[in-house]
Amino acid sequence: MTQFDTKTYFTDEIALRHDWTLEEVMTLLEQPLMDLLWQAQLVHRSVNPGYKVQLASLLSVKTGGCQEDCAYCPQSMHNNSDVNDQPDLNVQSVLAHAKAAKEAGADRFCMGWAWREIRDGKFFDAMLAMVRGVRELGLEACVTAGMLSDEQASRLAEAGLTAYNHNLDTSPEYYEKIITTRTYQERLETLQRIRSAGITICCGGIIGMGESLVDRASLLRVLAMHDPHPESVPINSLVAVEGTQLENLSSVDPLDMVRMVATARILMPLSRVRLSAGREQLGREAQILCLQAGADSIFYGETLLTTSNPSIIADREMLSKAGVQVNWELTD
Ligand code: SAM
Ligand code: DTB
Ligand code: SF4
């Protein structure tokens, strides 16, 4: 049974709320860790009894040179990281990566473009061909490429796109400390376009960018106020890349990731909560706590978009020690 099926079985029993107050979210987030874990576990175990974990693979199709000034991002032209503009990958090579990811056990393939927005033309046509090709391989396809128009969203939906990733990153209140070249409102409008086109939403954020606990609660509340909830909620911790504005920030306390994941699971019981960037800094035990508290997906493969991720061997060992269920039959 896929997790989607499991979820439909439990929909009647799990209360889905979209009216959480900031105080309620703060209470969840800052309660004693043991109580938070217990509460998150009750939800997680009932919606995902086998502790199934989806393996998602990432590939950067268009790397670097982005016009936006996201303080954390090595791909912004406003930052001075080592990520040089590289030629865009072509359809054939992207599909070869997708096939390899499938053979390594992934069942979702996410493709990234360092763009402020999608423009029509040969690059968008290539994106559509990549989406069709990934779907033909039997994988879920996710794209992240900045803002888009209603028409572009419809064309992506027609090509079979499963999900579009568009993160809110942080709270509305903290946003302008991190990004000044676009507004929170523009982000929300893009999410609405994706939803209207019938594509599922992948939307989450980053912790460790100097934000307060209230900012974290506020981000989670904005996500949970969406009706329906985003189907996929990536929780990243900052990878402080040299040359970016946030290069000197120290890494987050691994238990803060556990708290974010657990609270996301309680607020959005049926969403996939993805343990995303920053896993190398988390350590094995904190990752396992996240899987117990509510994470049901990881990015799998040695590179995220431009930064490194745990090795496939390390992840296989971690998942097997945790005793979670993974779709290994594709590989063994
Ligand atoms: N340009 C598109 C956009 O921003 O929507 C897509 C690509 S962007 C790199 C995808 C997401 O990666 C960002 O929204 C951000 O949440 C995450 N990200 C980027 N750099 C990161 C970093 N250094 N640490 C953690 N997460 C990061
Ligand atoms: C998400 O929230 N995290 C992934 C995926 N969605 C696209 C990207 C993480 C990128 C980390 C920095 C890098 O590798 O460039
Ligand atoms: Fe561009 Fe996305 Fe990086 Fe922001 S996060 S600079 S929009 S690639």
Side-chain angles (χ1 to χ4, degrees):
M1 192 191 298
T2 64
Q3 191 187 15
F4 185 75
D5 293 329
T6 311
K7 285 176 175 177
T8 55
Y9 276 95
F10 284 89
T11 307
D12 292 343
E13 295 167 32
I14 294 282
L16 293 181
R17 285 183 52 193
H18 306 276
D19 60 352
W20 295 90
T21 65
L22 190 61
E23 291 67 33
E24 284 177 305
V25 182
M26 276 298 282
T27 305
L28 286 173
L29 203 51
E30 64 183 353
Q31 69 185 307
L33 185 62
M34 290 301 164
D35 295 326
L36 174 59
L37 285 175
W38 177 78
Q39 221 177 317
Q41 263 274 276
L42 282 179
V43 177
H44 191 200
R45 210 181 157 79
S46 73
V47 296
N48 183 14
Y51 294 94
K52 285 189 177 175
V53 175
Q54 185 190 48
L55 304 179
S57 192
L58 261 179
L59 180 68
S60 182
V61 179
K62 197 274 174 203
T63 307
C66 182
Q67 295 165 318
E68 302 273 28
D69 69 351
C70 310
Y72 51 77
C73 185
Q75 303 198 67
S76 164
M77 57 191 251
H78 303 265
N79 288 329
N80 292 313
S81 72
D82 278 344
V83 176
N84 298 315
D85 286 56
Q86 290 160 16
D88 292 14
L89 299 184
N90 62 30
V91 178
Q92 200 185 5
S93 96
V94 168
L95 295 182
H97 277 94
K99 193 160 173 284
K102 179 176 172 165
E103 279 160 10
D107 56 10
R108 182 164 168 121
F109 191 70
C110 310
M111 297 164 277
W113 280 257
W115 286 342
R116 172 175 162 76
E117 72 233 315
I118 296 180
R119 292 197 201 135
D120 291 327
K122 65 176 182 178
F123 294 112
F124 184 45
D125 293 341
M127 181 189 291
L128 295 171
M130 290 169 198
V131 169
R132 280 190 291 267
V134 168
R135 299 295 284 137
E136 276 161 19
L137 285 169
L139 295 166
E140 292 182 7
C142 178
V143 160
T144 182
M147 295 183 255
L148 41 56
S149 65
D150 287 323
E151 200 203 326
Q152 288 161 344
S154 303
R155 290 183 68 194
L156 283 165
E158 274 163 30
L161 186 67
T162 314
Y164 196 87
N165 165 256
H166 201 66
N167 289 343
L168 288 170
D169 286 336
T170 189
S171 66
E173 299 74 24
Y174 196 63
Y175 202 69
E176 62 187 31
K177 295 261 180 324
I178 300 298
I179 298 150
T180 67
T181 49
R182 61 169 185 251
T183 63
Y184 214 73
Q185 187 54 34
E186 284 175 308
R187 239 27 206 175
L188 293 170
E189 285 165 13
T190 301
L191 290 171
Q192 190 47 52
R193 287 203 179 93
I194 299 161
R195 178 62 78 210
S196 303
I199 300 168
T200 70
I201 289 180
C202 173
C203 183
I206 309 176
I207 64 167
M209 300 194 295
E211 74 289 342
S212 66
L213 199 63
V214 180
D215 289 313
R216 292 179 190 175
S218 176
L219 165 67
L220 288 172
R221 177 169 175 261
V222 175
L223 292 170
M225 275 165 45
H226 281 85
D227 185 4
H229 293 148
E231 286 77 5
S232 159
V233 180
I235 307 287
N236 299 274
S237 73
L238 176 73
V239 180
V241 180
E242 213 182 306
T244 61
Q245 295 161 65
L246 304 184
E247 66 180 343
N248 292 322
L249 290 191
S250 43
S251 36
V252 298
D253 180 340
L255 293 180
D256 283 1
M257 271 303 264
V258 178
R259 283 184 181 275
M260 274 306 273
V261 164
T263 307
R265 172 56 62 215
I266 296 166
L267 297 179
M268 294 167 279
L270 305 182
S271 302
R272 255 194 210 286
V273 176
R274 295 183 197 277
L275 188 53
S276 304
R279 282 200 298 118
E280 279 186 323
Q281 288 76 44
L282 270 190
R284 187 181 66 172
E285 290 73 18
Q287 289 186 67
I288 290 177
L289 269 182
C290 288
L291 295 175
Q292 188 175 33
D296 59 355
S297 172
I298 59 169
F299 284 113
Y300 180 65
E302 279 152 36
T303 341
L304 290 164
L305 290 172
T306 64
T307 64
S308 65
N309 197 40
S311 70
I312 286 189
I313 293 176
D315 274 347
R316 280 176 167 245
E317 191 187 285
M318 186 272 291
L319 294 166
S320 123
K321 289 262 186 243
V324 297
Q325 290 180 32
V326 187
N327 203 8
W328 292 134
E329 65 265 24
L330 290 166
T331 51
D332 294 336

